[in-house]
Amino acid sequence: MAGYRGASSSAAGAGGGAAAFATRVLLLLTLLPLALAAFAFVLQWRGGMRDPTGTAWPADTQRFPGMENSPLGSSSSGGGGSYFAVTSASGSSAAADCAEILGRSASSHGISLYRGWSFDSDAAITPKICITGSTSASLHQILPWLYYHKVIGVSHFILFVEGEAAKPAVTSVLESIRGVKIIFRTKELKEQQDRSRIWNETWLSGFFYKPCNYELFVKQSLNMEMAIVMARDAGMDWIIHLDTDELIHPAGAREYSLRRLLLDVPDNVDMVIFPNYESSIERDDIKDPFTEVSMFKKNYDHLPKDTYFGLYKEATRGNPNYFLTYGNGKSAARVQEHMRPNGAHRWHNYMKTPNEIKLEEAAILHYTYTKFSDLTSRRDRCGCKPTKEDVKRCFILEFDRLAFIIASTATEEEMRNWYREHVVWTDKDTNLKLLRKGVLTRIYAPMAIIRGLKESGIFTAAVTSAKANSKVKSSNSLENKSVHANVTAARSTTLNERGSHNSQATARKVLEMVDIQEGAMPPMSPPGFLELVESALS
């Protein structure tokens, strides 16, 4: 028993000694790094040791822009200093560098992304893209629209202006921007268009001599016909008809660029179809749609059929159609001989049926009825009676007809309630569901670009430059007259089919093809539920 206790005591002593040794070793391993770190800190603090990377920076190296007010930038640089303590010869030059690099706007303290961009340089641009449109919008709407498209690659604009857009305060600014041609709706222009070959053809005849939207549709087609001649004379590769409440969204390209998108189109393609997305506003007090609207309803061409079928009722919200207005998109066409418009949404050719493709990701963003005042503005420019029968003479699309009647007969409070019920997306649960299903989508790129342009002072600079160079207005006015003369001459050659003996066979062929032309493509609503069912069963 005694032997057993002795053995146990010696074993316990040996175990205790091993544990004490292990504790000392762990303590030593813990204290040694701490001691070395403290030693190194003391040496560096006293100047006894330098950061070897600091020797790569010369003593006269300027401070990084923006560091002058930071603790790192303001630390003493005597004797060589550390990696971050870079000396500066001039604090003001560093501030200037910062403003240059970040493009900080003088009027606002936000970061400006576009300061220093050359919007006027079009040398060696390929392909050359032209946008044409007819507008009566204000400068507040036209300038962001125009510069946004310049950012994504459009170099030329042919704008037919009237109303607010034709006022000197607007046109003087637009004419001062390189690549912009302004065509006024003068008596001379109307006389030129009255002689257009279109009046003797059948494809647009269903829209002739009708008021409001039908009249606008014919006017747009006549303007497009003239724009083709001007675009061809300017050496353009592509032409697009676009309204000033529409932005091109070049999704699907390798970069956010319309030029890149069209450069990748196969050479045998004559026309590219952009399906349109429609703005889905979430408030009834929108002032600047381009910078306040980010939610859009996708085109049915970009949705699976089962999604479109299954959510049609929720997406329509009691309105006549899936979209409030048109749903057949817009198009870009290669500038070629014998081109003609085929209504505001398509292009055609007298000599052939264009080979077209429809884009799977890119779209036209249509900002329609985004402001409550859009209800009354449509009412004020149309003199039709607010009856169900008479509005059919004036408006092509059903929602426009309903909106006109409401705007003409209801009180402001009734109009506001109707607007919130039919246009504004106030139900957050429905919005979230349709966003998750892909019917609605968020698109931020145009908003970010236009906000960046605004913060850069681009729009203010354009207005200021136009005021400072008032002489440009008179010289451009003379240039505009020469543009009319050139268009008249060009159109005369078009009407005469170049006036040569060899072109007579071409003219005969054109006249033969006119007899079999289909009608112009009007603004069309997306297919309704019953139409889809019928097409699926057929």
Side-chain angles (χ1 to χ4, degrees):
M1 194 69 182
Y4 179 75
R5 287 196 188 96
S8 298
S9 298
S10 64
F21 179 75
T23 301
R24 292 191 187 94
V25 171
L26 287 174
L27 182 61
L28 179 64
L29 292 176
T30 301
L31 293 176
L32 183 60
L34 291 175
L36 291 175
F39 180 66
F41 174 78
V42 170
L43 288 178
Q44 188 171 9
W45 178 65
R46 295 183 60 188
M49 186 175 73
R50 287 190 181 183
D51 183 349
T53 57
T55 60
W57 295 85
D60 60 347
T61 302
Q62 288 190 356
R63 186 176 305 156
F64 294 123
M67 290 182 63
E68 61 276 1
N69 296 322
S70 71
L72 295 176
S74 58
S75 53
S76 175
S77 59
S82 69
Y83 177 87
F84 295 103
V86 185
T87 60
S88 174
S90 170
S92 61
S93 65
D97 289 343
C98 186
E100 180 67 23
I101 292 174
L102 297 180
R104 191 175 299 276
S105 173
S107 59
S108 67
H109 297 290
I111 293 178
S112 167
L113 301 177
Y114 300 99
R115 182 173 296 278
W117 273 46
S118 177
F119 289 99
D120 294 336
S121 177
D122 60 356
I125 289 177
T126 303
K128 294 184 182 297
I129 306 168
C130 168
I131 284 180
T132 184
S134 307
T135 183
S136 60
S138 66
L139 190 64
H140 178 75
Q141 180 173 334
I142 297 175
L143 271 185
W145 173 87
L146 191 150
Y147 274 102
Y148 167 81
H149 288 106
K150 275 182 170 285
V151 168
I152 64 172
V154 179
S155 57
H156 284 65
F157 299 81
I158 302 172
L159 300 180
F160 294 81
V161 298
E162 55 185 307
E164 180 72 22
K167 291 182 177 180
V170 177
T171 57
S172 62
V173 175
L174 297 179
E175 288 177 325
S176 70
I177 301 171
R178 184 173 177 178
V180 178
K181 294 294 183 185
I182 300 299
I183 311 298
F184 297 86
R185 187 148 192 84
T186 61
K187 180 181 177 181
E188 178 188 357
L189 176 66
K190 189 175 184 305
E191 289 175 351
Q192 290 177 24
Q193 293 186 340
D194 285 344
R195 298 192 296 269
S196 169
R197 65 193 297 173
I198 286 178
W199 296 99
N200 298 319
E201 298 170 357
T202 58
W203 58 271
L204 194 61
S205 60
F207 299 86
F208 292 161
Y209 313 116
K210 294 180 180 180
C212 298
N213 279 15
Y214 290 91
E215 181 183 8
L216 174 62
F217 192 73
V218 173
K219 190 187 300 182
Q220 288 175 326
S221 298
L222 292 168
N223 291 346
M224 290 167 70
E225 183 187 39
M226 296 185 71
I228 290 171
V229 178
M230 299 175 70
R232 186 170 63 233
D233 291 346
M236 296 292 104
D237 299 306
W238 291 88
I239 186 169
I240 305 168
H241 177 260
L242 209 64
D243 296 329
T244 50
D245 63 350
E246 298 169 330
L247 299 179
I248 299 173
H249 175 52
R254 282 178 283 172
E255 57 192 73
Y256 199 78
S257 165
L258 179 62
R259 192 181 303 145
R260 179 76 263 171
L261 187 71
L262 294 179
L263 196 62
D264 292 338
V265 173
D267 293 338
N268 66 332
V269 173
D270 302 306
M271 185 164 61
V272 174
I273 311 300
F274 290 82
N276 62 293
Y277 290 8
E278 190 171 81
S279 58
S280 301
I281 61 171
E282 299 165 85
R283 309 191 327 264
D284 64 356
D285 60 348
I286 299 292
K287 302 298 182 185
D288 186 3
F290 291 156
T291 60
E292 295 181 58
V293 178
S294 65
M295 191 166 74
F296 296 86
K297 189 188 292 185
K298 280 188 175 182
N299 193 284
Y300 64 95
D301 279 329
H302 286 180
L303 288 174
K305 283 189 176 181
D306 57 344
T307 301
Y308 186 73
F309 269 112
L311 297 170
Y312 183 86
K313 184 176 181 180
E314 289 177 84
T316 303
R317 300 193 313 151
N319 288 318
N321 294 291
Y322 175 75
F323 278 164
L324 301 181
T325 55
Y326 76 89
N328 51 330
K330 291 290 182 76
S331 59
R334 292 190 192 273
V335 179
Q336 301 172 338
E337 293 292 332
H338 311 298
M339 274 186 69
R340 70 162 173 84
N342 193 31
H345 297 260
R346 295 291 188 273
W347 305 88
H348 203 68
N349 194 296
Y350 283 110
M351 302 301 293
K352 64 177 181 179
T353 300
N355 180 26
E356 65 181 55
I357 61 171
K358 186 172 291 185
L359 298 175
E360 296 181 356
E361 295 182 69
I364 299 294
L365 304 181
H366 187 200
Y367 295 76
T368 186
Y369 287 99
T370 49
K371 295 186 288 186
F372 177 69
S373 60
D374 290 343
L375 283 178
T376 53
S377 65
R378 282 168 167 78
R379 175 198 66 193
D380 295 341
R381 66 172 180 249
C382 187
C384 289
K385 297 177 182 179
T387 63
K388 290 184 178 180
E389 290 302 319
D390 204 50
V391 292
K392 292 179 181 178
R393 294 190 309 111
C394 303
F395 298 97
I396 301 171
L397 298 171
E398 184 63 29
F399 187 86
D400 288 333
R401 298 169 182 172
L402 293 176
F404 179 80
I405 292 175
I406 289 294
S408 303
T409 60
T411 65
E412 172 136 356
E413 183 180 355
E414 291 171 338
M415 286 171 56
R416 181 77 65 175
N417 291 335
W418 185 90
Y419 184 74
R420 288 181 60 83
E421 181 181 351
H422 292 270
V423 180
V424 185
W425 292 73
T426 55
D427 188 335
K428 293 184 178 180
D429 291 335
T430 300
N431 296 354
L432 183 59
K433 177 181 178 180
L434 295 180
L435 282 166
R436 287 173 173 171
K437 296 291 185 179
V439 174
L440 297 177
T441 186
R442 295 282 185 185
I443 298 175
Y444 296 104
M447 175 189 291
I449 289 173
I450 291 175
R451 283 182 178 176
L453 288 167
K454 186 176 182 179
E455 291 178 2
S456 299
I458 297 296
F459 307 146
T460 303
V463 175
T464 304
S465 175
K467 289 180 179 178
N469 298 283
S470 57
K471 293 181 180 180
V472 175
K473 178 179 178 181
S474 58
S475 62
N476 278 352
S477 178
L478 294 174
E479 182 183 354
N480 193 51
K481 292 180 181 178
S482 67
V483 167
H484 283 303
N486 291 339
V487 170
T488 304
R491 288 190 43 70
S492 296
T493 59
T494 303
L495 290 169
N496 295 329
E497 290 297 327
R498 306 298 181 190
S500 66
H501 176 75
N502 293 334
S503 66
Q504 292 179 3
T506 302
R508 284 195 298 271
K509 185 174 181 181
V510 168
L511 291 174
E512 290 171 0
M513 295 187 71
V514 166
D515 294 335
I516 58 173
Q517 287 170 1
E518 297 180 358
M521 178 177 286
M524 298 169 61
S525 297
F529 187 79
L530 293 178
E531 295 173 21
L532 289 173
V533 172
E534 290 174 359
S535 64
L537 295 176
S538 60

